[in-house]
Amino acid sequence: MSTPPPPSQPPSGGFGAPQDPPPGGFGKPEEQPPGGFGGPPPVPPAMPAGPPPPPPAQPPTAQPPTVPAGQPAGQPSGQPAYGYPPQQQQPYGYPQQPQPVTTPMYAAQSPAVPAGGGGGGGGNEVRTQLMIVGAALLAIALIVGGGLWYVSGDDKGSGNQPVAEGSASPGTGGDKAPGGGGTEKVPAKTKSKTLVNVPMPDSAEIVQIPGSWLTDTTYAKSDMGKVVGYNLTDGSKKWEIPLGANVCGASRWASDNKTAILFDEALPTPEKKYQPCNQVGVIDLEAGKLLWKANAKSQTGGDKPINLSEVTVSGQTVAAGSLSGGAAWNLADGKVLWSAKTDADRCADLGYAGGPALAVIRRCGQSPNYVLSAQSLDPVTGAPKGSYKLPAGLDFAQIVSSKPLIVAANVNDTAKNATGISDLFVLDDGGQLKARIPLTSGNYSPDCGATEVEDCTHMVVGNGKIYMPTEEHKGTSESGRTNEIVSFDLETGKLTTDRADAGERHTVFPMRMDGSNLIVYKVPPYDGGGQIVSVDGKTMKQTVLMQNPATKESQRAETQYVPNAAEYRYGNGKLFIARDAVHSKSSVSTDPYYNFVSFTTG
């Protein structure tokens, strides 16, 4: 991520300069060097010049949930029931990744989430302070990805307007066969092979490259100064869009085979090393063209473009925002639809979440007495259709899903295990609270960031439920680690009896819905390959769609990415795993570093 120059926009491109808060906020796992989970500690990549990074953070001990006596399975309590056998209820102690900068998600989601430069203008104080803290921690901005977002031009909105397709962490809607079993079929051969692995460009600075999209024919990925499309048939380069600047934010959604990105004003130069992130553009993922670009002006006057930190797509609307304000444009031609206004109550839009609907987190007042509201918006006019006031004491909140509207927050800083979430708020179309889902037990492992609105990962909405992974815990073997996917009912807020086990020495997280089925990724152990599995939404029966190779070369390529700090895209027998930032390569490790790796069963 590149950021504007001081004083009002602290730089974030390298050690010794203040860092933008990553999509998931500070204190999130750094991208893991080759070696994978569950194996011997790999040699970390070399860091850019500067003081040594902080040591890996050890998460607090967490106990797997137990079922209180006399309580039926699936009923919430202080320790929700997962149905673990007694011998599996061991303290959590699996080492986490170094804590310099993200995921969280997600960011993945994180995410999220894909953050750009710090906001410009008078609303930068909080963000600037976070940047400085990040520099002190030597945070490496590895942004959230996670999940899969499909691209479709199907007319699923009113007025024949394409709806942003997708479902991932976070996400909802976009299922190709709502209520059905989905469209992902078991291939003739589930054992995969490498499609194409694209090397990571070397860079002395940390440079963000957020954004991955998968269509029926193309995989598109941000790269340094450009976006590149690859043919799904053989992995060859299909097109390239030179931007003359680095990408600093990306929508996780696409509509009508189009998506939105944020990019800097220009490429860094020796005289201006930290460029402002103030450009928004729409790219055609099939044709490989930048259709238009624009910027947003400050609401306090003047023609200087404001810095933007996140962008999203919903139907025919592109919405981008930051602490300095935001605006919305028509997806097709870039015409301005509306601009976020700061009113007499010092209210401002923190950021937007897209997909099947458009929603916003709006903040009013002054620190430390902010009042936050979650609102569903008319994507054409920006007018609120419903509003819910969140609990007092929050500075930020995230939107997990825009339809149904689900908000994540860390109420009174009660989130455990660095998830960033203490509670989920499920709202109806009018902004009324339907259910509040507490996650303060620490038994669950979704992930939300600190400041960006669309920055949660490893949560998927479908079948009237929200699915998420449990915290890792001891398996049946002496050293094995594992976890499960469970769900909460969105009407009652209660834990259901759903459970999909990762299996011994594997961990699992949900990627997206496929009709009523759930597409999940199984993180491999140090001596095996990962899996893509379809989970039946009714029976929770698992069907393997892809089994990746267990060879040393393939396994180390696949596991050089931290699951909640990378972009995972799967569809029609193709899996892509990509990084969100590039950095200098290790002078010790001989393993290659990749921008992305991919697998195919075809």
Side-chain angles (χ1 to χ4, degrees), residues 44 87 127 130 171 178 197 213 237 425 441 481 525 561:
Q87 66 268 25
R127 190 176 185 85
L130 289 173
N197 292 347
W213 306 271
K237 184 183 292 188
F425 300 85
S441 66
R481 307 293 300 178
Y561 307 91

Side-chain angles (χ1 to χ4, degrees), residues 30-58:
E30 180 184 6
E31 186 166 343
Q32 180 184 349
F37 290 80
V43 179
M47 298 297 178
Q58 294 296 328

Side-chain angles (χ1 to χ4, degrees), residues 129-149:
Q129 292 172 8
L130 289 173
M131 293 177 187
I132 295 172
V133 172
L137 295 175
L138 298 182
I140 301 172
L142 299 177
I143 315 173
V144 174
L148 168 77
W149 294 269

Side-chain angles (χ1 to χ4, degrees), residues 133-193:
V133 172
L137 295 175
L138 298 182
I140 301 172
L142 299 177
I143 315 173
V144 174
L148 168 77
W149 294 269
Y150 269 124
V151 178
S152 173
D154 297 339
D155 295 336
K156 295 188 178 180
S158 59
N160 292 327
Q161 297 300 307
V163 173
E165 291 292 332
S167 182
S169 56
T172 176
D175 303 332
K176 302 284 184 173
T183 61
E184 296 293 349
K185 305 302 180 184
V186 180
K189 295 181 180 179
T190 57
K191 290 185 177 180
S192 69
K193 60 183 179 181

